[in-house]
Amino acid sequence: MTTDEKYMCRCLQLAKNGMGNTAPNPMVGAVIVHNNLIIGEGFHIQYGEAHAEPNAIKAVKDQSLLTASTLYVNLEPCSHFGITPPCAALIIEKKIPRVIIGSMDPNPKVSGRGIKMLQEAGVELVSGLLDAENRELNKRFFTFQEKKRPYIILKWAQSIDEFIDATRADNTTPPMQFSTPFTQMLNHKMRAEEGAILVGTNTVLMDNSQLTTRLWTGKNPLRLAIDRIGKITNEYKICDAAASTIIFSEKQRENTDTVSFVQLDFSQSILPQILDVLYKRNINSLIVEGGKTLLQSFIDEELWDEARVEIAPIKLKTGVAAPKISMAYFEKEKSVDENKFVLFKK
């Protein structure tokens, strides 16, 4: 590992501290180095607040050292006025002579403009250091900017013989419980890190889940449900005041204090329509936690980025079959003696 890579790795470490709080902005860390010593570092803490670069610059006690220092940042400094001033202009103002960047910002408001601004000001600049690692960390941001949709995570729990539930006639029988207290906590942690969570009508009617973050500190995701003909009433937990909810329906319905209704054209595929609604609302990540039909529809339409499958050491022998993903994407573990998550990526 080179010296520059070492400090860029530190940027990525710092950036992770913003997980769940910076969206729709990326996670960014910055490190300022003088004579091979870190004299300041910072990260983007919260959406709407200062970016990583000004936080790192502010942390430098002797500001005179900035004119002989290198600034490392895992994403191209912004060049435009948004909620906060442009970071590239601040770097130029502070006369920092050398800047090392992880990745170019795919946001069309930036996309090379920050780099150009720095170069025209005479800043020595290197770009593309640990680009793959940064893209992985900020996969939600890059997917949102490049594909114009949220990053999609499919999530389900299943038995070792690949069933996601026992056969149930109605909601008087509770759903099959595959998760342990520990994995339930991990699931709520995931909810705190993502922008929205989607379920289908039957999942609401049969499970009556609240879809909130109760076992982990953090924000609740935006709750989404598909309800074509209006079966979901205000008595269901998804309609309570614990979090915001959008219900997608065939006909326009009147919004309530806790639920917004969005009309879709059900004669066409509704998944692209849902993703377009989320894109326009700046939601850059989505958990799909519905039943088999909804999950399989995302798989079949190639609208997913990763699947997080919890496999429990339970055999049902019969019931509701788990969704199927092509074996080209993964090697599934067949033998487990305790609950474990298997991560599949396209």
Coordinates of all heavy atoms in Angstrom, one line a residue, residues 85-167:
P85 N -21.8 26.0 0.7 CA -20.9 26.6 -0.3 C -20.1 25.6 -1.0 O -19.8 24.5 -0.4 CB -20.1 27.6 0.5 CG -20.8 27.8 1.8 CD -21.5 26.5 2.1
P86 N -19.5 25.9 -2.2 CA -18.7 24.9 -2.9 C -17.3 24.6 -2.1 O -16.6 25.6 -1.8 CB -18.4 25.5 -4.2 CG -18.7 27.0 -4.0 CD -19.7 27.1 -2.9
C87 N -17.0 23.3 -2.0 CA -15.8 23.0 -1.3 C -14.6 23.3 -2.1 O -13.5 23.6 -1.5 CB -15.8 21.5 -1.0 SG -17.2 21.0 0.2
A88 N -14.7 23.2 -3.4 CA -13.5 23.5 -4.3 C -13.1 24.9 -4.1 O -11.8 25.2 -4.0 CB -13.8 23.2 -5.8
A89 N -14.0 25.8 -3.9 CA -13.7 27.2 -3.7 C -13.0 27.4 -2.4 O -12.0 28.2 -2.3 CB -14.9 28.1 -3.8
L90 N -13.4 26.7 -1.4 CA -12.7 26.8 -0.1 C -11.3 26.3 -0.1 O -10.4 26.9 0.5 CB -13.5 26.0 1.0 CG -12.9 26.0 2.4 CD1 -12.9 27.4 3.0 CD2 -13.7 25.1 3.3
I91 N -11.1 25.2 -0.8 CA -9.7 24.6 -1.0 C -8.8 25.6 -1.6 O -7.6 25.9 -1.2 CB -9.8 23.3 -1.8 CG1 -10.5 22.2 -1.0 CG2 -8.4 22.8 -2.1 CD1 -10.9 21.0 -1.8
I92 N -9.3 26.3 -2.7 CA -8.5 27.3 -3.4 C -8.3 28.5 -2.5 O -7.1 29.1 -2.4 CB -9.3 27.8 -4.6 CG1 -9.4 26.6 -5.6 CG2 -8.6 29.0 -5.3 CD1 -10.3 26.9 -6.8
E93 N -9.3 28.9 -1.7 CA -9.1 30.1 -0.8 C -8.1 29.8 0.3 O -7.3 30.7 0.6 CB -10.5 30.3 -0.1 CG -10.4 31.4 1.0 CD -11.7 31.5 1.8 OE1 -12.8 31.1 1.2 OE2 -11.6 31.8 3.0
K94 N -8.0 28.6 0.7 CA -7.0 28.2 1.8 C -5.6 27.9 1.2 O -4.7 27.6 1.9 CB -7.5 27.0 2.6 CG -8.8 27.3 3.4 CD -8.6 28.3 4.5 CE -9.8 28.6 5.3 NZ -9.5 29.5 6.4
K95 N -5.5 27.9 -0.1 CA -4.2 27.7 -0.8 C -3.6 26.4 -0.5 O -2.4 26.2 -0.4 CB -3.2 28.9 -0.5 CG -3.7 30.2 -0.9 CD -2.6 31.3 -0.6 CE -3.0 32.6 -1.2 NZ -4.3 33.2 -0.9
I96 N -4.5 25.4 -0.5 CA -4.0 24.0 -0.3 C -3.4 23.6 -1.7 O -4.1 23.5 -2.7 CB -5.1 23.0 0.1 CG1 -5.6 23.5 1.5 CG2 -4.6 21.6 0.2 CD1 -6.8 22.7 2.0
P97 N -2.1 23.2 -1.8 CA -1.5 23.0 -3.1 C -1.7 21.7 -3.7 O -1.5 21.6 -4.9 CB 0.0 23.2 -2.7 CG 0.1 22.7 -1.3 CD -1.1 23.1 -0.7
R98 N -2.1 20.7 -3.0 CA -2.2 19.3 -3.6 C -3.4 18.6 -3.0 O -3.7 18.6 -1.8 CB -0.9 18.5 -3.2 CG -0.9 17.1 -3.8 CD 0.5 16.5 -3.6 NE 0.7 15.2 -4.2 CZ 0.6 14.0 -3.6 NH1 0.4 14.0 -2.3 NH2 0.8 12.9 -4.2
V99 N -4.2 18.0 -4.0 CA -5.4 17.4 -3.6 C -5.5 16.0 -4.3 O -5.2 15.9 -5.5 CB -6.7 18.2 -4.0 CG1 -8.0 17.4 -3.8 CG2 -6.7 19.5 -3.3
I100 N -5.8 15.0 -3.5 CA -5.9 13.6 -4.0 C -7.4 13.2 -3.9 O -7.9 13.2 -2.8 CB -5.0 12.6 -3.2 CG1 -3.6 13.1 -3.1 CG2 -5.1 11.2 -3.9 CD1 -2.9 13.2 -4.4
I101 N -8.0 12.8 -5.0 CA -9.4 12.5 -5.0 C -9.6 11.0 -5.3 O -8.9 10.4 -6.1 CB -10.1 13.3 -6.1 CG1 -10.0 14.8 -5.7 CG2 -11.5 12.9 -6.3 CD1 -10.4 15.7 -6.9
G102 N -10.6 10.4 -4.6 CA -10.9 9.0 -4.8 C -11.7 8.8 -6.1 O -11.2 8.1 -7.0
S103 N -12.8 9.4 -6.3 CA -13.7 9.3 -7.5 C -14.2 10.6 -7.9 O -14.4 11.5 -7.2 CB -14.9 8.3 -7.1 OG -14.4 7.1 -6.7
M104 N -14.5 10.6 -9.2 CA -15.2 11.8 -9.8 C -16.7 11.7 -9.4 O -17.3 10.6 -9.4 CB -15.1 11.8 -11.3 CG -15.7 13.0 -12.0 SD -15.7 13.0 -13.8 CE -13.9 13.3 -14.0
D105 N -17.2 12.9 -9.0 CA -18.6 12.9 -8.6 C -19.5 12.7 -9.9 O -19.4 13.5 -10.8 CB -18.9 14.3 -8.0 CG -20.3 14.3 -7.3 OD1 -21.2 13.6 -7.7 OD2 -20.4 15.1 -6.3
P106 N -20.4 11.7 -9.9 CA -21.3 11.5 -11.0 C -22.5 12.5 -11.1 O -23.2 12.5 -12.1 CB -21.8 10.1 -10.8 CG -21.8 9.9 -9.3 CD -20.7 10.7 -8.8
N107 N -22.7 13.3 -10.0 CA -23.8 14.3 -10.1 C -23.5 15.3 -11.2 O -22.4 15.9 -11.2 CB -23.8 15.0 -8.7 CG -25.0 15.9 -8.6 OD1 -25.6 16.4 -9.6 ND2 -25.4 16.2 -7.4
P108 N -24.4 15.5 -12.1 CA -24.2 16.4 -13.2 C -23.9 17.8 -12.8 O -23.3 18.6 -13.5 CB -25.5 16.3 -14.1 CG -26.4 15.5 -13.3 CD -25.7 14.8 -12.2
K109 N -24.3 18.2 -11.5 CA -24.0 19.5 -11.0 C -22.5 19.7 -10.7 O -22.0 20.8 -10.6 CB -24.8 19.8 -9.8 CG -26.3 19.9 -10.0 CD -27.1 20.2 -8.7 CE -28.6 20.3 -9.0 NZ -29.3 20.6 -7.7
V110 N -21.8 18.5 -10.6 CA -20.4 18.6 -10.3 C -19.6 17.9 -11.4 O -19.1 18.6 -12.3 CB -20.1 17.8 -8.9 CG1 -18.6 18.0 -8.6 CG2 -21.0 18.3 -7.8
S111 N -19.6 16.6 -11.5 CA -19.1 15.8 -12.6 C -17.9 16.4 -13.3 O -18.0 16.8 -14.5 CB -20.2 15.5 -13.6 OG -19.8 14.5 -14.5
G112 N -16.8 16.6 -12.7 CA -15.6 17.1 -13.3 C -15.4 18.6 -13.1 O -14.3 19.1 -13.3
R113 N -16.4 19.3 -12.7 CA -16.3 20.8 -12.6 C -15.4 21.2 -11.4 O -14.7 22.1 -11.4 CB -17.7 21.4 -12.5 CG -18.5 21.3 -13.7 CD -19.9 22.0 -13.5 NE -20.7 22.0 -14.8 CZ -21.5 21.0 -15.2 NH1 -21.5 19.9 -14.4 NH2 -22.1 21.1 -16.3
G114 N -15.5 20.4 -10.3 CA -14.7 20.6 -9.1 C -13.2 20.4 -9.5 O -12.4 21.2 -9.1
I115 N -13.0 19.3 -10.2 CA -11.6 19.0 -10.6 C -11.1 20.1 -11.5 O -9.9 20.6 -11.3 CB -11.5 17.7 -11.3 CG1 -11.8 16.5 -10.3 CG2 -10.2 17.5 -12.1 CD1 -11.9 15.2 -11.0
K116 N -11.9 20.6 -12.5 CA -11.4 21.6 -13.4 C -11.2 22.9 -12.6 O -10.2 23.6 -12.9 CB -12.5 21.9 -14.5 CG -12.1 22.9 -15.5 CD -13.2 23.0 -16.5 CE -12.9 24.1 -17.6 NZ -13.9 24.3 -18.6
M117 N -12.0 23.3 -11.7 CA -11.8 24.5 -10.9 C -10.5 24.5 -10.1 O -9.8 25.5 -10.1 CB -13.0 24.7 -9.9 CG -12.9 25.9 -9.1 SD -14.3 26.0 -7.8 CE -15.7 26.2 -8.9
L118 N -10.2 23.3 -9.6 CA -8.9 23.2 -8.8 C -7.7 23.3 -9.7 O -6.7 24.0 -9.4 CB -8.9 21.9 -8.0 CG -9.9 21.8 -6.9 CD1 -10.0 20.3 -6.3 CD2 -9.6 22.7 -5.8
Q119 N -7.8 22.6 -10.9 CA -6.7 22.6 -11.8 C -6.4 24.0 -12.4 O -5.3 24.4 -12.5 CB -7.0 21.6 -12.9 CG -6.9 20.1 -12.5 CD -7.3 19.2 -13.6 OE1 -8.1 19.5 -14.5 NE2 -6.7 18.0 -13.6
E120 N -7.5 24.7 -12.7 CA -7.4 26.1 -13.2 C -6.8 27.0 -12.2 O -6.2 28.0 -12.5 CB -8.7 26.6 -13.7 CG -9.2 25.9 -15.0 CD -10.5 26.4 -15.4 OE1 -11.2 27.1 -14.6 OE2 -10.9 26.1 -16.6
A121 N -6.9 26.7 -10.9 CA -6.3 27.5 -9.8 C -4.9 27.1 -9.5 O -4.3 27.6 -8.6 CB -7.2 27.4 -8.6
G122 N -4.4 26.1 -10.3 CA -3.0 25.7 -10.1 C -2.8 24.6 -9.0 O -1.6 24.3 -8.6
V123 N -3.8 24.0 -8.6 CA -3.7 22.9 -7.6 C -3.2 21.6 -8.3 O -3.7 21.2 -9.3 CB -5.1 22.6 -6.9 CG1 -5.0 21.4 -5.9 CG2 -5.5 23.9 -6.1
E124 N -2.2 21.0 -7.7 CA -1.7 19.7 -8.1 C -2.8 18.7 -7.8 O -3.2 18.6 -6.6 CB -0.4 19.3 -7.5 CG 0.2 18.0 -8.0 CD 1.4 17.6 -7.2 OE1 2.0 18.4 -6.5 OE2 1.7 16.4 -7.3
L125 N -3.2 17.9 -8.7 CA -4.4 17.1 -8.5 C -4.2 15.6 -9.0 O -3.7 15.5 -10.1 CB -5.6 17.7 -9.1 CG -7.0 17.1 -8.7 CD1 -8.0 18.2 -8.5 CD2 -7.5 16.1 -9.7
V126 N -4.6 14.7 -8.2 CA -4.6 13.2 -8.6 C -6.0 12.7 -8.4 O -6.6 12.9 -7.3 CB -3.5 12.4 -7.8 CG1 -3.6 10.9 -8.2 CG2 -2.1 12.9 -8.0
S127 N -6.5 12.0 -9.4 CA -7.9 11.5 -9.3 C -7.9 10.0 -9.6 O -7.1 9.5 -10.3 CB -8.8 12.3 -10.2 OG -10.2 11.8 -10.1
G128 N -8.9 9.3 -9.0 CA -9.1 7.9 -9.2 C -8.4 7.0 -8.3 O -8.4 5.8 -8.5
L129 N -7.9 7.5 -7.1 CA -7.3 6.6 -6.2 C -8.3 5.8 -5.3 O -9.2 6.4 -4.7 CB -6.4 7.5 -5.2 CG -5.5 6.7 -4.3 CD1 -4.4 5.9 -5.0 CD2 -4.8 7.7 -3.3
L130 N -8.2 4.5 -5.4 CA -9.1 3.6 -4.7 C -10.6 3.9 -5.2 O -11.5 3.9 -4.4 CB -9.0 3.7 -3.2 CG -7.6 3.5 -2.6 CD1 -7.7 3.4 -1.0 CD2 -7.1 2.1 -3.0
D131 N -10.7 4.1 -6.5 CA -12.0 4.4 -7.0 C -13.0 3.3 -6.8 O -14.2 3.5 -6.4 CB -11.9 4.6 -8.5 CG -13.2 4.8 -9.2 OD1 -13.9 5.9 -8.9 OD2 -13.6 4.0 -10.0
A132 N -12.6 2.0 -6.9 CA -13.5 0.9 -6.8 C -14.0 0.8 -5.3 O -15.2 0.5 -5.1 CB -12.8 -0.4 -7.2
E133 N -13.1 1.0 -4.4 CA -13.5 1.0 -3.0 C -14.5 2.1 -2.6 O -15.4 1.9 -1.8 CB -12.2 1.1 -2.1 CG -11.3 -0.1 -2.1 CD -10.4 -0.1 -3.3 OE1 -10.5 0.7 -4.2 OE2 -9.4 -1.0 -3.3
N134 N -14.3 3.2 -3.2 CA -15.2 4.3 -2.9 C -16.5 4.1 -3.6 O -17.6 4.4 -3.0 CB -14.6 5.7 -3.5 CG -15.5 6.8 -3.2 OD1 -16.0 7.1 -2.1 ND2 -15.9 7.5 -4.3
R135 N -16.6 3.5 -4.8 CA -17.8 3.2 -5.4 C -18.6 2.2 -4.6 O -19.8 2.3 -4.6 CB -17.6 2.8 -6.9 CG -17.1 3.9 -7.8 CD -17.0 3.4 -9.2 NE -18.3 3.0 -9.8 CZ -19.1 3.9 -10.5 NH1 -18.7 5.1 -10.7 NH2 -20.3 3.5 -10.9
E136 N -17.9 1.2 -4.0 CA -18.6 0.3 -3.2 C -19.2 0.9 -2.0 O -20.4 0.7 -1.6 CB -17.6 -0.9 -2.8 CG -18.2 -1.9 -1.8 CD -19.4 -2.6 -2.3 OE1 -19.6 -2.7 -3.5 OE2 -20.2 -3.1 -1.5
L137 N -18.4 1.8 -1.3 CA -19.0 2.5 -0.1 C -20.2 3.3 -0.5 O -21.2 3.3 0.2 CB -17.9 3.3 0.5 CG -18.3 4.2 1.6 CD1 -18.7 3.4 2.8 CD2 -17.2 5.2 2.0
N138 N -20.1 4.0 -1.6 CA -21.2 4.9 -2.0 C -22.0 4.3 -3.2 O -22.5 5.1 -4.0 CB -20.6 6.3 -2.4 CG -20.2 7.1 -1.2 OD1 -21.1 7.4 -0.4 ND2 -18.9 7.5 -1.1
K139 N -22.3 3.0 -3.1 CA -23.0 2.4 -4.1 C -24.4 2.9 -4.3 O -25.0 3.0 -5.4 CB -23.1 0.9 -3.9 CG -23.6 0.5 -2.5 CD -23.3 -1.0 -2.2 CE -23.8 -1.3 -0.8 NZ -23.4 -2.7 -0.4
R140 N -25.0 3.4 -3.2 CA -26.3 4.0 -3.3 C -26.3 5.3 -4.1 O -27.1 5.5 -5.0 CB -26.9 4.3 -1.8 CG -27.0 3.0 -1.0 CD -27.1 3.3 0.5 NE -27.1 2.2 1.3 CZ -26.0 1.5 1.7 NH1 -24.8 1.8 1.3 NH2 -26.2 0.4 2.5
F141 N -25.3 6.1 -3.8 CA -25.2 7.4 -4.4 C -24.9 7.2 -5.9 O -25.5 7.9 -6.8 CB -24.1 8.2 -3.8 CG -23.8 9.5 -4.4 CD1 -24.7 10.6 -4.3 CD2 -22.6 9.7 -5.1 CE1 -24.4 11.8 -4.9 CE2 -22.4 11.0 -5.7 CZ -23.3 12.0 -5.6
F142 N -23.9 6.3 -6.3 CA -23.6 6.2 -7.7 C -24.7 5.5 -8.5 O -25.0 5.9 -9.6 CB -22.3 5.3 -7.7 CG -21.0 6.0 -7.5 CD1 -20.5 6.1 -6.3 CD2 -20.4 6.7 -8.6 CE1 -19.3 6.8 -6.0 CE2 -19.2 7.4 -8.4 CZ -18.7 7.5 -7.1
T143 N -25.4 4.6 -7.9 CA -26.6 4.0 -8.6 C -27.7 5.0 -8.8 O -28.2 5.1 -9.9 CB -27.2 2.8 -7.7 OG1 -26.2 1.8 -7.6 CG2 -28.4 2.2 -8.4
F144 N -27.9 5.8 -7.8 CA -29.0 6.9 -7.9 C -28.6 7.9 -9.0 O -29.5 8.2 -9.8 CB -29.1 7.6 -6.6 CG -30.2 8.6 -6.5 CD1 -31.5 8.2 -6.3 CD2 -29.9 10.0 -6.7 CE1 -32.5 9.2 -6.3 CE2 -30.9 10.9 -6.6 CZ -32.2 10.5 -6.4
Q145 N -27.4 8.3 -9.1 CA -26.9 9.3 -10.1 C -26.8 8.7 -11.5 O -27.2 9.3 -12.5 CB -25.6 9.9 -9.7 CG -25.6 10.7 -8.4 CD -26.5 12.0 -8.5 OE1 -26.7 12.5 -9.6 NE2 -27.0 12.4 -7.4
E146 N -26.4 7.4 -11.6 CA -26.1 6.9 -12.9 C -27.3 6.1 -13.5 O -27.5 6.1 -14.7 CB -24.9 5.9 -12.8 CG -23.6 6.7 -12.5 CD -22.4 5.8 -12.2 OE1 -22.6 4.5 -12.0 OE2 -21.3 6.3 -12.0
K147 N -28.1 5.5 -12.7 CA -29.2 4.7 -13.2 C -30.6 5.4 -12.9 O -31.6 4.9 -13.4 CB -29.3 3.3 -12.5 CG -28.1 2.5 -12.8 CD -28.2 1.1 -12.3 CE -27.0 0.2 -12.7 NZ -27.1 -1.2 -12.2
K148 N -30.5 6.6 -12.3 CA -31.7 7.4 -12.0 C -32.8 6.6 -11.3 O -34.0 6.6 -11.6 CB -32.3 7.9 -13.3 CG -31.3 8.6 -14.2 CD -30.6 9.8 -13.5 CE -29.6 10.4 -14.4 NZ -28.8 11.4 -13.7
R149 N -32.4 5.8 -10.3 CA -33.3 5.0 -9.5 C -32.5 4.7 -8.1 O -31.3 4.8 -8.1 CB -33.7 3.7 -10.1 CG -32.6 2.7 -10.4 CD -33.1 1.3 -10.6 NE -32.1 0.3 -11.0 CZ -31.3 -0.3 -10.1 NH1 -31.3 0.0 -8.8 NH2 -30.4 -1.2 -10.6
P150 N -33.3 4.3 -7.1 CA -32.6 3.9 -5.9 C -31.8 2.7 -6.0 O -32.0 1.8 -6.9 CB -33.8 3.7 -4.9 CG -35.0 4.3 -5.6 CD -34.7 4.3 -7.0
Y151 N -30.8 2.5 -5.1 CA -30.1 1.2 -5.0 C -31.1 0.3 -4.3 O -31.7 0.6 -3.3 CB -28.9 1.4 -4.1 CG -28.0 0.2 -4.0 CD1 -27.0 0.0 -4.9 CD2 -28.1 -0.6 -2.9 CE1 -26.2 -1.1 -4.8 CE2 -27.3 -1.7 -2.8 CZ -26.3 -2.0 -3.7 OH -25.5 -3.1 -3.6
I152 N -31.3 -0.9 -4.9 CA -32.4 -1.8 -4.5 C -31.8 -3.1 -3.8 O -31.0 -3.8 -4.3 CB -33.2 -2.3 -5.7 CG1 -33.8 -1.0 -6.4 CG2 -34.3 -3.2 -5.2 CD1 -34.5 -1.3 -7.7
I153 N -32.2 -3.3 -2.5 CA -31.8 -4.4 -1.7 C -33.0 -5.3 -1.5 O -34.1 -4.9 -0.9 CB -31.3 -4.0 -0.4 CG1 -30.1 -3.0 -0.5 CG2 -30.9 -5.2 0.5 CD1 -29.7 -2.3 0.8
L154 N -33.0 -6.5 -2.0 CA -34.0 -7.5 -1.7 C -33.7 -8.2 -0.4 O -32.5 -8.6 -0.2 CB -34.1 -8.5 -2.9 CG -34.2 -8.0 -4.3 CD1 -34.3 -9.1 -5.3 CD2 -35.4 -7.0 -4.4
K155 N -34.7 -8.4 0.4 CA -34.4 -9.0 1.8 C -35.5 -10.0 2.1 O -36.7 -9.6 2.0 CB -34.3 -7.9 2.8 CG -33.9 -8.3 4.2 CD -35.1 -8.7 5.0 CE -34.7 -9.4 6.3 NZ -35.9 -9.9 7.1
W156 N -35.1 -11.2 2.5 CA -36.1 -12.1 3.0 C -35.3 -13.1 3.9 O -34.1 -13.3 3.9 CB -36.8 -12.8 1.9 CG -36.1 -13.8 1.0 CD1 -35.9 -15.2 1.3 CD2 -35.4 -13.6 -0.2 NE1 -35.2 -15.8 0.3 CE2 -34.9 -14.9 -0.7 CE3 -35.3 -12.5 -1.1 CZ2 -34.2 -15.0 -1.9 CZ3 -34.6 -12.6 -2.3 CH2 -34.1 -13.9 -2.6
A157 N -36.1 -13.8 4.7 CA -35.6 -14.9 5.5 C -36.3 -16.2 5.1 O -37.5 -16.2 4.7 CB -36.0 -14.6 7.0
Q158 N -35.5 -17.3 5.2 CA -36.1 -18.5 4.7 C -35.5 -19.7 5.5 O -34.5 -19.6 6.2 CB -35.7 -18.7 3.2 CG -34.2 -18.9 3.0 CD -33.9 -19.2 1.5 OE1 -34.3 -18.4 0.6 NE2 -33.2 -20.3 1.3
S159 N -36.2 -20.8 5.3 CA -35.8 -22.1 6.0 C -34.6 -22.6 5.1 O -34.4 -22.2 4.0 CB -36.9 -23.1 6.0 OG -37.4 -23.4 4.7
I160 N -33.9 -23.6 5.6 CA -32.8 -24.2 4.9 C -33.3 -24.9 3.7 O -32.6 -25.1 2.7 CB -32.0 -25.1 5.8 CG1 -30.7 -25.4 5.2 CG2 -32.8 -26.3 6.2 CD1 -29.7 -26.2 6.1
D161 N -34.6 -25.4 3.7 CA -35.2 -26.0 2.5 C -36.0 -25.0 1.6 O -36.8 -25.4 0.8 CB -36.0 -27.3 2.9 CG -37.1 -27.0 3.9 OD1 -37.1 -25.8 4.4 OD2 -37.9 -27.8 4.1
E162 N -35.7 -23.7 1.8 CA -36.1 -22.7 0.9 C -37.6 -22.4 0.9 O -38.3 -22.3 -0.2 CB -35.6 -23.0 -0.5 CG -34.1 -23.1 -0.6 CD -33.6 -23.4 -2.0 OE1 -34.4 -23.5 -2.9 OE2 -32.3 -23.5 -2.1
F163 N -38.2 -22.2 2.1 CA -39.5 -21.7 2.2 C -39.5 -20.4 3.1 O -38.7 -20.4 4.0 CB -40.4 -22.7 2.9 CG -40.7 -23.9 2.0 CD1 -40.0 -25.1 2.2 CD2 -41.6 -23.9 1.0 CE1 -40.2 -26.2 1.4 CE2 -41.9 -25.0 0.2 CZ -41.2 -26.2 0.4
I164 N -40.3 -19.4 2.7 CA -40.3 -18.2 3.5 C -41.4 -18.1 4.5 O -41.4 -17.2 5.3 CB -40.3 -16.9 2.5 CG1 -41.6 -16.9 1.7 CG2 -39.1 -16.9 1.6 CD1 -41.8 -15.6 0.9
D165 N -42.3 -19.0 4.4 CA -43.4 -19.1 5.4 C -44.1 -20.4 5.3 O -44.1 -21.1 4.3 CB -44.4 -17.9 5.1 CG -45.2 -17.6 6.4 OD1 -45.1 -18.2 7.4 OD2 -46.0 -16.6 6.3
A166 N -44.9 -20.7 6.4 CA -45.8 -21.8 6.3 C -47.0 -21.4 5.5 O -47.3 -20.2 5.4 CB -46.1 -22.3 7.7
T167 N -47.8 -22.3 5.1 CA -49.1 -22.0 4.4 C -50.1 -21.5 5.5 O -50.4 -22.2 6.4 CB -49.6 -23.2 3.6 OG1 -48.7 -23.6 2.7 CG2 -50.9 -22.8 2.9

